[in-house]
Amino acid sequence: MNRTTITIGAAVALAIGAAILSLSRGESEAAAAAAQPMVRIAVLEIDPAQLDAYKTILAEQQEASVRLEPGVLMLHSVAIADSPTSIRLLEVYASRSAYEAHLRSPHFIKYKTSTEKMVKSLELVETTPILLCAKSRGQAGGPVTCM
């Protein structure tokens, strides 16, 4: 073997090694992104004539989701103070796959089909979480958990 052959071989080996490291890093970054909490804000406008029925169905779905689904970390719903038919939901899932599992859950499917004609508009706002903190026992206090 001459020196040119060795240099080309070394260059090829370095290129292959760099490609393998790049793929590994990409897979690691994808795995880290999949493990990150997914936070979304839902902006809804509800038919005023059906607001009470909507809130009842929403409350049932929220409670079941948090109680039954390990990947549903929290669901909060609020109405805008001077516009009670303007509903905002803060949804926090352990990961994108937890969110996708939530969409397939029986209680979520029941919610979607039951409220389909009640919801006048829906916008889903993707977010990037900065810091999510909560007291472990709500107003009763307890340790604070941040993620």
Side-chain angles (χ1 to χ4, degrees):
M1 263 191 213
N2 64 27
R3 187 175 215 168
T4 304
T5 305
I6 293 171
T7 304
I8 291 172
V12 169
L14 283 173
I16 291 171
I20 290 170
L21 282 175
S22 176
L23 285 173
S24 297
R25 212 173 296 127
E27 290 170 1
S28 296
E29 290 169 4
Q36 291 296 315
M38 180 182 162
V39 180
R40 160 178 277 172
I41 299 169
V43 177
L44 298 100
E45 190 62 37
I46 308 302
D47 176 6
Q50 301 184 72
L51 182 60
D52 289 337
Y54 174 81
K55 291 189 328 189
T56 298
I57 295 166
L58 174 63
E60 290 171 3
Q61 187 274 142
Q62 275 187 256
E63 189 281 329
S65 295
V66 174
R67 180 172 42 84
L68 298 171
E69 298 179 61
V72 177
L73 303 181
M74 67 178 89
L75 295 174
H76 298 289
S77 57
V78 297
I80 303 301
D82 59 353
S83 180
T85 60
S86 297
I87 306 292
R88 302 299 183 265
L89 307 176
L90 175 64
E91 308 172 17
V92 181
Y93 304 95
S95 63
R96 173 145 313 263
S97 62
Y99 168 71
E100 291 166 359
H102 170 68
L103 295 179
R104 295 186 302 271
S105 69
H107 45 271
F108 181 77
I109 293 168
K110 178 183 175 188
Y111 160 80
K112 285 300 278 188
T113 57
S114 300
T115 62
E116 186 175 25
K117 292 186 170 53
M118 299 175 181
V119 177
K120 292 170 49 177
S121 67
L122 168 64
E123 176 188 0
L124 300 174
V125 180
E126 297 295 331
T127 70
T128 301
I130 297 170
L131 186 64
L132 306 169
C133 295
K135 291 182 172 100
S136 63
R137 291 188 299 264
Q139 289 182 344
V144 173
T145 300
C146 294
M147 62 178 136

